[in-house]
Amino acid sequence: MPGVALVLGAGGVVGGAWHAGLLAALAEAGWDARSADLIVGTSAGSGVGAMLRAGVSAGDLYARARGEPLSAPGARLFGDIGPVPPAPQGPTWRIPLASAPTALAWAALRPGRHRPAALMAAAMPAGTVSTQPIEDLYRRLHGDAWPTAPLWLVAVRQFDNRRVVFGAGDDPRPTVGQAVAASCAIPGVFAPVDVNGTTYIDGGVHSVHNLDLLERHPYDLVLVSAPMASTSLLPLPLPGAAMRQLIGLQLRSEVRAARRTGSKVVVLSPDTSAQRAMGNRPMDPAMRPTVARHVKDAFSGRLGRDRDLRASLATLGL
């Protein structure tokens, strides 16, 4: 089997900070996420994955989340690129009409075949915030070329709610900038992203993690960074806890499917203290420095004391 697949889930600006802190802790322990044999990214995870494939180190992802100076190689990669402007905290539509009536029609003709989140996205008015700053950032890092190392970025085709995996052979092949922008186009907030005349929205509409893409692709280790999931079966008195549990249920189903191939799957998701630190404002840029620091410190400590966790990650050479 191939070595390591890294699956980076959705989570907004705060989810990106979670990924940065987690990957920085793993880097300090001895594993460079840039070496992953496959990276699968959804929404916030698509941006982090694309940065890794551009050569950005986990240390520089962490420094960028913290607002700290980058390493010399990181500074060369980013040049004078500033931070991506954050999305608004709420809906931005102007005209209260369904953004994808054709998708609703498809769903009516084929009941039970479309996911609830996709139906809600189709019924919502289209957002108005441009994803151009996101596209521009990744165009600066990648140009018009797709990386040679495998990178799958997940979006949803708007007119029929079909999941599309850019980089896995799906046509048309966009630029990395277009693919990240499409994967991050939160319904009702960002405007859908046009790729060769077809519009796409956030891949998290289909699945927050899209781990089921690997149910026919075995790996020695599938490492899932899941900032929006909760693995607790008990209700927690925290904001957004119910949504996290629903996401966790979906993720457990996808984990079972991936494990049927013989892959070892390890999910790293926020514990109670991390959930408190992350709060319930996934698009708040002010949360990024605190969340990145909390996750890095907490996970570094956990790696130091949890032998079972280190054993489960032995494929990484920790």
Side-chain angles (χ1 to χ4, degrees):
M1 288 191 292
V4 179
L6 175 62
V7 176
L8 300 165
V13 173
V14 173
W18 159 276
H19 293 315
L22 178 65
L23 297 178
L26 287 169
E28 287 191 353
W31 183 65
D32 188 338
R34 293 173 294 185
S35 69
D37 297 277
L38 169 67
I39 297 176
V40 180
T42 301
S43 200
S46 73
V48 173
M51 285 192 180
L52 292 171
R53 285 301 193 231
V56 180
S57 70
D60 281 327
L61 288 174
Y62 178 74
R64 187 171 166 81
R66 292 275 300 161
E68 297 171 348
L70 305 180
S71 69
R76 286 194 294 272
L77 282 169
F78 282 102
D80 59 356
I81 299 174
V84 177
Q89 299 298 300
T92 65
W93 62 73
R94 296 193 182 101
I95 303 174
L97 298 175
S99 59
T102 54
L104 295 175
W106 275 106
L109 292 171
R110 305 175 72 185
R113 299 289 296 273
H114 293 253
R115 300 194 173 196
L119 293 177
M120 287 190 290
M124 292 175 64
T128 60
V129 177
S130 173
T131 57
Q132 194 63 48
I134 298 174
E135 184 175 337
D136 290 346
L137 166 62
Y138 291 94
R139 185 180 291 275
R140 288 283 298 274
L141 290 172
H142 285 275
D144 292 331
W146 199 269
T148 55
L151 173 66
W152 295 359
L153 304 181
V154 184
V156 168
R157 195 166 63 190
Q158 190 180 30
F159 78 82
D160 63 356
N161 285 334
R162 176 179 175 267
R163 176 171 64 182
V164 175
V165 188
F166 296 122
D170 285 3
D171 292 322
R173 173 71 68 87
T175 65
V176 174
Q178 288 175 317
V180 173
S183 187
C184 292
I186 301 168
V189 177
F190 287 110
V193 174
D194 186 290
V195 178
N196 297 336
T198 301
T199 53
Y200 298 87
I201 57 174
D202 195 313
V205 165
H206 181 87
S207 166
V208 173
H209 307 93
N210 290 289
L211 173 60
D212 61 310
L213 290 171
L214 300 184
E215 62 183 349
R216 294 184 180 88
H217 301 275
Y219 281 82
D220 293 319
L221 174 66
V222 178
L223 180 61
V224 184
S225 178
M228 291 184 71
S230 172
T231 56
S232 172
L233 296 175
L234 299 174
L236 299 173
L238 297 170
M243 179 61 70
R244 285 184 176 278
Q245 287 184 301
L246 288 173
I247 292 169
L249 285 172
Q250 182 188 55
L251 178 55
R252 281 193 286 276
S253 174
E254 294 182 2
V255 167
R256 288 193 295 270
R259 284 176 175 163
R260 284 196 288 270
T261 67
S263 296
K264 183 175 187 177
V265 182
V266 176
V267 175
L268 301 176
S269 60
D271 60 13
T272 303
S273 66
Q275 289 181 42
R276 288 197 182 98
M278 296 170 78
N280 196 32
R281 294 177 293 168
M283 300 307 295
D284 186 352
M287 302 290 291
R288 296 175 75 226
T290 301
V291 169
R293 178 64 178 270
H294 178 95
V295 174
K296 179 176 180 290
D297 290 351
F299 193 70
S300 293
R302 187 180 168 195
L303 279 173
R305 64 179 180 271
D306 190 335
R307 293 182 180 180
D308 290 340
L309 176 60
R310 290 200 306 275
S312 71
L313 298 175
T315 304
L316 304 182
L318 304 183

